Amino acid sequence: MTRKNPSLTEPQFFILAALMDGPLHGYGIIKAAEEATDGRLRLAVGTLYGALERMERAGLVAADHEEIVEGRARRYYRLTEDGTELLDREALRMQQAAAFVLGRSRNRGVAEA
């Protein structure tokens, strides 16, 4: 994610999207991504924390705070300004791509076999 205009993977996109309304801990991010995709995207814990670590290094998310729950530390993550900007750009890119395909598919005839 060090390129000037990176594209996000689907898990990265939904991790960032999960943080739009404020900080969440890992399990909250997993549940929000699952709900946003009607259960289609199920993030494994290792996938989530690996992605969060990479996105934190890239400046897209930041650790917000920690709390102790049942003797275990629960870290909350938040979107950074760079993360918000990238998420917005990616959503617009996907919207434009979808509009192009959907516009063409309405005008296309059925191919003969």
Side-chain angles (χ1 to χ4, degrees):
M1 278 185 253
T2 56
R3 296 176 296 170
K4 189 167 185 140
N5 292 311
S7 292
L8 296 170
T9 64
E10 187 176 38
Q12 290 170 332
F13 181 85
F14 283 105
I15 290 167
L16 293 178
L19 298 172
M20 288 175 63
D21 293 330
L24 285 173
H25 54 79
Y27 183 72
I29 295 169
I30 288 171
K31 295 311 288 179
E34 195 172 310
E35 288 174 19
T37 62
D38 293 325
R40 186 179 47 76
L41 179 64
R42 295 175 190 227
L43 293 168
V45 172
T47 300
L48 172 68
Y49 286 104
L52 283 170
E53 185 177 304
R54 288 186 297 279
M55 289 190 289
E56 192 170 18
R57 280 195 313 265
L60 304 176
V61 300
D64 188 73
H65 66 279
E66 283 190 13
E67 65 181 5
I68 304 299
V69 177
E70 297 178 7
R72 297 178 61 178
R74 181 180 283 175
R75 177 177 287 165
Y76 285 73
Y77 294 88
R78 64 174 171 78
L79 269 177
T80 63
E81 189 174 317
D82 286 348
T84 300
E85 289 174 8
L86 179 57
L87 181 61
D88 289 346
R89 277 196 316 268
E90 188 69 3
L92 180 59
R93 183 191 69 78
M94 291 187 324
Q95 182 182 37
Q96 291 169 337
F100 173 76
V101 170
L102 293 172
R104 291 198 56 178
S105 65
R106 288 187 194 110
N107 298 326
R108 150 178 90 195
V110 176
E112 294 181 25

